[in-house]
Every structure is written in C-alpha cells, then in structure tokens.
Amino acid sequence: MTTLIALLPLLLVLGLLASGRASALVAGLAGLSATLIAAFIIVIEARGGGALAPLFLRETAAGLWLSWHVIAIIAAGMFFHRCLQARDGVAGVGGALDANARRLWSVCFLLAPFAEAVTGFGVGYIIALAALRRLGLGGLSALLLGLYSQSLVPWGALATGTTVGATLAGLTPNQLGLSSALLQVPIHILYLAFYWRLARQAGIAVSLAQKVDDAVWTALLLGLALGLGLNAKYAMAWFIVCLAAYLIATPQRRTSV
C-alpha cells in the first residue's frame, strides 16, 4: 500500500502529460501537491504526526540545496545558449555552413555531448539543433541527430544525476561513473552504426574512408575517456578530450561550429 501511495504522484504527472490537457507547469504543480499529500500519509502512518514538522524542515532544506545545483546548471546552460545566439547574430559569423560528413560527426559526437555535459537537462539538445540547422538540416533528421547530445547522459549537467543516483543506490559516484563508462563502449558501436544511417537519410554521404575515420576518432575518444578513469569525479576530463579532439581533427574549422 505504501508503494502504491508513493507512486501515485508520478502516475498523476504522467497521466496529465499524456492527456495533452495540462502543460508541464500544471502537471508539475499537481505532482508536487500530490507528493506532499502522499508524504503526509506515509509519515503519519510510519512515525506519527509528531515527526512531520522536523522531517519536512530537514528535507526541505536538503531539497533546496539540491535544487540549487540543478537551477545553477540550467541557468549557466541557458546563458551559454544565449551567448551562441549572440555570436550567430554578429555580421559574418554564424552563417550557414556546408554540410559534410566530418562536420556532422563533430556536431553529433563532440559538440552536442560536450554541450549536454556542461549544461544538462536537455540544453545540449537545443544547442545541437542550432548547430544542425546551420548545416542545413531540419525535420526528422535533425531531431534524431540532435539526440546524440544525450549519448553521454551519465555525465550530463556535470554528472549531477550520476552523483545523486549513486547516493540513492548506496554506491560511490566513482563506482557508478566508471561502470557507466564501461557500458559506453558497446553502446557507442550501435550509436555509430545508427549515425551513419541517419546521415545517409539526411542526404550526407559518408564514404568508407570517412566511416573508418569516424570509427577511429570515436574509439580514441572512448579509449582516452576510460584511460583517464572517466567517472563522476573526473567528468571534466571528457570536456578536455572533446575540445582537443575537435581542434586536432578540424584545425581549419575551429570557429565553424
């Protein structure tokens, strides 16, 4: 019974969003209200009414501290996005680019994951779509390719989710982070194969030589990430690897994406 009561707020939010009759804000507020009611019921049954006040004071303070980290990261990400928009508005900067396989790989496997890692919460997806539009891509192809911004989601938002998840699971952030890094190897093999298919559907030809090049750079990035002990504690290593790889791979295009 306790489990069912705890699940009701989540089911309420999902139901409101699925109905299409409530905005995300309304659904979120409804979920918050239902969560408070469910928490009151569960706490009273387990500890009695006297435990409510100290429990909610303690948990409210902890929640505010945790939410501040999320809000700060989102705000910084949106500021980064605004800076990119301002840069695109400068005369002679940020215009349309010729789409080619090397540039598309750089967007999907370097720029987009980097943007999500330093911002998180989907902001990297917005930045990826902006970069894809500059390549002349739109529609379903851009929407799907933009999802590569989530390919390293365990380190999104500076690994905040991984850190919180590890705490809830009773693991150290290093343990969960390193395990997630190991899983990225087989997953990225599938990511790369699917990427070539999406590129072809988007009208960008990827030659055999370019596929070999893509595979080598992807393997190099993953190998360096694992060699550096990439986990929640060392998430910044991925940013350095991505930036260095981009500057080395495309020296003549450092300001083009």
Side-chain angles (χ1 to χ4, degrees):
M1 186 63 180
T2 300
T3 303
L4 178 59
I5 295 175
L7 285 175
L8 284 177
L10 176 60
L11 296 176
L12 175 63
V13 173
L14 294 177
L16 289 174
L17 293 176
S19 69
R21 298 181 179 180
S23 65
L25 177 60
V26 172
L29 292 175
L32 175 61
S33 301
T35 299
L36 291 174
I37 295 173
F40 273 113
I41 295 173
I42 293 173
V43 172
I44 290 175
E45 288 183 351
R47 304 183 184 181
L52 279 175
L55 176 65
F56 274 90
L57 285 175
R58 183 177 69 252
E59 294 303 322
T60 298
L64 288 174
W65 175 249
L66 180 61
S67 63
W68 162 245
H69 289 80
V70 176
I71 293 171
I73 293 170
I74 293 177
M78 294 308 299
F79 176 74
F80 179 50
H81 179 52
R82 293 293 185 182
C83 289
L84 289 179
Q85 286 184 323
R87 174 181 177 274
D88 290 345
V90 177
V93 178
L97 301 172
D98 293 333
N100 57 55
R102 169 59 64 82
R103 188 169 281 154
L104 182 62
W105 182 89
S106 299
V107 169
C108 293
F109 286 88
L110 292 179
L111 175 65
F114 167 80
E116 182 64 20
V118 298
T119 58
F121 307 100
V123 178
Y125 185 65
I126 299 174
I127 295 173
L129 289 179
L132 291 169
R133 286 199 301 269
R134 290 185 63 194
L135 295 180
L137 301 180
L140 183 60
S141 296
L143 293 176
L144 293 176
L145 287 169
L147 289 174
Y148 277 83
S149 62
Q150 310 302 306
S151 61
L152 290 171
V153 75
W155 300 277
L158 300 179
T160 300
T162 297
T163 303
V164 174
T167 302
L168 295 175
L171 302 172
T172 66
N174 289 358
Q175 288 175 323
L176 184 57
L178 187 57
S179 298
S180 300
L182 292 173
L183 286 175
Q184 293 302 315
V185 176
I187 290 176
H188 266 74
I189 295 175
L190 299 177
Y191 281 163
L192 194 57
F194 189 52
Y195 158 78
W196 289 327
R197 178 180 176 182
L198 292 176
R200 185 176 66 253
Q201 292 177 347
I204 298 178
V206 182
S207 64
L208 179 59
Q210 183 60 49
K211 288 182 179 179
V212 173
D213 185 77
D214 292 346
V216 169
W217 276 107
T218 303
L220 178 61
L221 288 174
L222 291 175
L224 285 174
L226 291 173
L228 289 168
L230 181 61
N231 49 38
K233 183 178 180 181
Y234 302 108
M236 283 299 295
W238 179 253
F239 313 157
I240 299 172
V241 168
C242 286
L243 180 60
Y246 181 70
L247 294 179
I248 294 172
T250 57
Q252 74 280 19
R253 305 184 183 116
R254 295 175 184 177
T255 61
S256 63
V257 177

